[in-house]
Amino acid sequence: MRPALDLMAQVPRLPEGDVIDLGCGSGAAASALAARFPDRRIIGVDSSPAMLAKAAETGVYADLIEADAATWRPDTPPALIFSNALLQWLPDHDTLMPHLVALLEPYGVLAVQMPRQEAAPSHRLIREVAAARYPDRFGASDAFRAPLRPATGYVRLLEPEGEINAWETEYVQRLQHAAEGHPVRMFTSSTAMRPVLDRLTAEEQTDFIAAYEAALSPVYPQEPDGTVLFPFLRLFFVLRRGIL
């Protein structure tokens, strides 16, 4: 939750309107949003019915909407669109980000956090191992690169839309020992690895995981207590929309 809380802490005073948790998932940020904005309606938006069902269990959301974040439109302009670790999955940020700003109330805020880890060994090795072992399907080593630019790129893109504050933070996470495999592989298995695993047979998945873990071990060695130190870069921006 720390990146979400760090993002939330930089949201300035809001105009009237709802708070949208865009890509709310299971509602991990729900309680924090409610505490930060106690007098606002919190609305969750996600494309997964299963995640929305879990989000409903938090009891925080005034409404939950099943929708694709790229095409969703609110009934009324919100005061805040808060998006934590979602938009890195969506393409064409040149169009997407201005579109989200345009949905806001005047002086409304778009607050975004996205992992920017694609150049780190944890993610680069996924592409390289896949390309080396299965060149017929993964010929380009950058085929799975996320559509992200550095913080300066989002400033240049969005400064015509209003006042923007952008930054990057590298968090050093201590991953616990996992009997099932290398802790970094366990961390990436449900996210960054999915585009590869989804295109492999069960036997090929086993082969790929073994090769990926072998490549990870010298880059992310175990500490004396069995844990692994895992630097993880995240990109943030908070934009207050200008007057219409």
Side-chain angles (χ1 to χ4, degrees):
M1 280 297 296
R2 184 175 169 187
L5 296 174
D6 288 352
L7 176 65
M8 210 175 296
Q10 298 303 316
V11 174
R13 183 175 179 179
L14 299 175
E16 294 300 315
D18 296 334
V19 168
I20 306 297
D21 187 0
L22 188 63
C24 64
S26 61
S31 295
L33 284 169
R36 176 74 168 78
F37 308 105
D39 300 324
R40 307 289 179 137
R41 284 181 3 118
I42 312 294
I43 297 173
V45 178
D46 202 277
S47 61
S48 167
M51 290 291 101
L52 290 171
K54 291 182 179 179
E57 296 174 3
T58 66
V60 168
Y61 295 101
D63 195 9
L64 288 162
I65 299 168
E66 182 183 342
D68 183 336
T71 57
W72 161 81
R73 288 182 175 274
D75 293 333
T76 58
L80 170 65
I81 297 175
F82 181 88
S83 183
N84 183 58
L86 166 72
L87 299 181
Q88 74 276 7
W89 295 110
L90 301 183
D92 191 12
H93 284 191
D94 284 353
T95 300
L96 175 64
M97 299 304 182
H99 160 72
L100 291 174
V101 175
L103 301 177
L104 294 164
E105 278 280 355
Y107 301 116
V109 173
L110 173 64
V112 173
Q113 183 273 121
M114 298 179 287
R116 190 168 175 261
Q117 189 73 354
E118 65 271 11
S122 57
H123 290 50
R124 175 176 51 80
L125 289 171
I126 294 173
R127 302 190 298 269
E128 292 179 357
V129 171
R133 301 190 82 81
Y134 309 103
D136 57 321
R137 277 160 285 177
F138 308 105
S141 64
D142 62 347
F144 310 104
R145 191 175 297 275
L148 298 191
R149 61 199 76 195
T152 52
Y154 288 95
V155 172
R156 293 188 181 104
L157 172 65
L158 292 173
E159 61 186 351
E161 310 290 339
E163 180 184 350
I164 182 168
N165 173 25
W167 70 99
E168 295 180 356
T169 301
E170 185 174 75
Y171 298 85
V172 178
Q173 301 171 235
R174 186 178 293 274
L175 303 182
Q176 297 302 312
H177 171 75
E180 302 90 337
H182 193 284
V184 174
R185 193 270 293 180
M186 301 300 295
F187 186 95
T188 60
S189 62
S190 62
T191 53
M193 285 176 61
R194 292 315 316 174
V196 171
L197 297 181
D198 289 347
R199 294 164 66 181
L200 299 178
T201 67
E203 182 178 351
E204 288 170 337
Q205 288 180 9
T206 301
D207 171 74
F208 171 80
I209 287 170
Y212 176 48
E213 289 207 352
L216 286 172
S217 293
V219 183
Y220 300 103
Q222 285 190 333
E223 298 300 305
D225 62 356
T227 62
V228 170
L229 297 179
F230 182 41
F232 198 100
L233 183 65
R234 293 181 182 267
L235 180 150
F236 303 77
F237 68 80
V238 175
L239 180 137
R240 185 198 292 275
R241 187 183 188 189
I243 234 174
L244 293 176

